[in-house]
Amino acid sequence: MTKLTEERPAIVPKAATQAGDIRARWAWTEPAVWTERMLTALENGVRGGQWFSLIDKVYTPANLGRAFERVKANAGAAGVDHQTVEMFEACLEQNLEQIAQSLKGGTYRPQPVKRVWIPKPGSSEQRPLGIPTVRDRVVQTALRHVLEPIFERTFAEHSYGFRPKRGAKDALRRVDSLLKAGHHWVVDADLKSYYDTIPHQPMLGCVAEKISDGRIMDLLEAMLKQGVMEAMREWQPEEGTPQGAVISPLLSNIYLSPLDHRIQASGKEMVRYADDCVPRALVA
């Protein structure tokens, strides 16, 4: 190595800075799925706005491993198979490999959701909560890792419910700023039984506007149609997505996104958030 070579500073390509900037903007995404190359495609847009060949991103060992870590961190009860997070972890490598092979082979089928009823804060009413199995929670988390950034990119600015790096306090700050700006008439809308009444086919149609991977669509449809087990009785829902399912908050935002943009285009100011897992909207 010559002296000239030793003293010459390393040249940092321009793309490196750009890639670092992109990663910083999307720091919340799962790096096991969203590489620098994919994030660049996300920001620049893909041909026709359609994403193909995503299922292989769902079942990679790295993504499934990260998905389990999140499921474990959230704890939660066992589903209809009575398998706890600890029991699943005891044979973790084998369980994740079985999931990967079933997703790859197209044989994965979600098990029924266990439905329980929990008190609704501030009311004598109860609301249903769906508890998927640990296995299904891992798959839904891995799928959410893949899909969420694609749709997050186009969600309206005034949407705060169940979104990365956003929460109820951000929504309240926005409401406060609108009041200070002179908006004094407010309509408070509570979307009652929203999760239980989302129509399946229109919902899948909203997803299909950006996702052209048929196996992803089949997987989502299977999740929407998975059975519900309640008091030893099993039935199949014709509409809705279970409260408590990992994928449900994302699907709820996808389905409400056209409404968000329509309100925005009308010139009205709206703040949409989630109160006790129920979507609400304030329109000024």
Side-chain angles (χ1 to χ4, degrees):
M1 183 179 290
T2 66
K3 189 175 189 316
L4 177 63
T5 303
E6 290 175 346
E7 294 178 350
R8 181 179 299 157
I11 298 174
V12 180
K14 293 181 180 179
T17 301
Q18 294 172 353
D21 291 343
I22 292 175
R23 174 60 68 187
R25 285 193 292 273
W26 295 91
W28 58 268
T29 60
E30 177 49 59
V33 175
W34 289 92
T35 62
E36 310 290 357
R37 183 165 173 262
M38 284 190 66
L39 288 175
T40 300
L42 182 66
E43 288 216 341
N44 294 339
V46 293
R47 183 177 299 176
Q50 292 283 312
W51 289 79
F52 297 84
S53 303
L54 292 174
I55 189 67
D56 61 309
K57 310 294 189 301
V58 176
Y59 59 71
T60 62
N63 188 26
L64 290 176
R66 286 289 295 128
F68 172 74
E69 290 175 14
R70 292 188 179 224
V71 170
K72 180 181 178 180
N74 290 331
V80 296
D81 62 354
H82 306 291
Q83 186 180 49
T84 63
V85 172
E86 293 75 19
M87 292 166 64
F88 188 94
E89 188 176 23
C91 300
L92 182 60
E93 186 174 340
Q94 179 182 349
N95 285 329
L96 294 184
E97 177 61 22
Q98 288 177 350
I99 289 174
Q101 291 302 319
S102 62
L103 287 171
K104 186 175 182 179
T107 60
Y108 172 83
R109 296 293 181 272
Q111 294 176 273
V113 171
K114 182 170 72 174
R115 170 167 284 191
V116 297
W117 292 83
I118 61 175
K120 194 172 182 179
S123 170
S124 59
E125 298 180 18
Q126 292 187 317
R127 65 180 178 88
L129 182 68
I131 305 175
T133 62
V134 175
R135 168 178 171 268
D136 289 341
R137 298 205 294 270
V138 170
V139 173
Q140 289 188 19
T141 303
L143 180 59
R144 183 170 180 168
H145 286 169
V146 174
L147 295 183
E148 189 165 36
I150 294 173
F151 290 92
E152 178 67 25
R153 183 174 179 270
T154 60
F155 285 158
E157 183 64 26
H158 61 247
S159 169
Y160 293 91
F162 305 113
R163 292 184 61 188
K165 305 298 182 182
R166 289 176 169 232
K169 290 184 178 179
D170 300 303
L172 290 174
R173 279 190 284 267
R174 177 59 180 160
V175 171
D176 183 61
S177 67
L178 289 173
L179 291 173
K180 290 177 179 176
H183 295 271
H184 300 305
W185 291 94
V186 178
V187 176
D188 182 4
D190 181 350
L191 306 183
K192 187 176 177 62
S193 301
Y194 172 62
Y195 279 93
D196 292 334
T197 57
I198 300 175
H200 289 169
Q201 290 310 312
M203 157 63 70
L204 291 170
C206 290
V207 177
E209 290 179 4
K210 299 186 186 307
I211 306 300
S212 288
D213 186 325
R215 292 168 70 182
I216 291 285
M217 298 304 299
D218 290 344
L219 181 58
L220 277 174
E221 185 168 12
M223 290 175 177
L224 289 173
K225 292 184 176 180
Q226 67 190 114
V228 176
M229 182 74 75
E230 182 179 5
M232 302 303 293
R233 181 177 67 93
E234 182 178 349
W235 52 279
Q236 187 178 47
E238 297 182 357
E239 59 183 4
T241 179
Q243 288 189 46
V246 177
I247 201 70
S248 292
L250 175 60
L251 293 179
S252 74
N253 276 331
I254 291 173
Y255 191 64
L256 283 176
S257 186
L259 171 65
D260 291 338
H261 288 291
R262 188 170 299 178
I263 294 290
Q264 193 171 37
S266 73
K268 300 291 190 299
E269 295 287 353
M270 181 168 83
V271 178
R272 186 167 66 77
Y273 64 106
D275 178 14
D276 185 32
C277 298
V278 178
R280 300 178 68 92
L282 296 174
V283 183

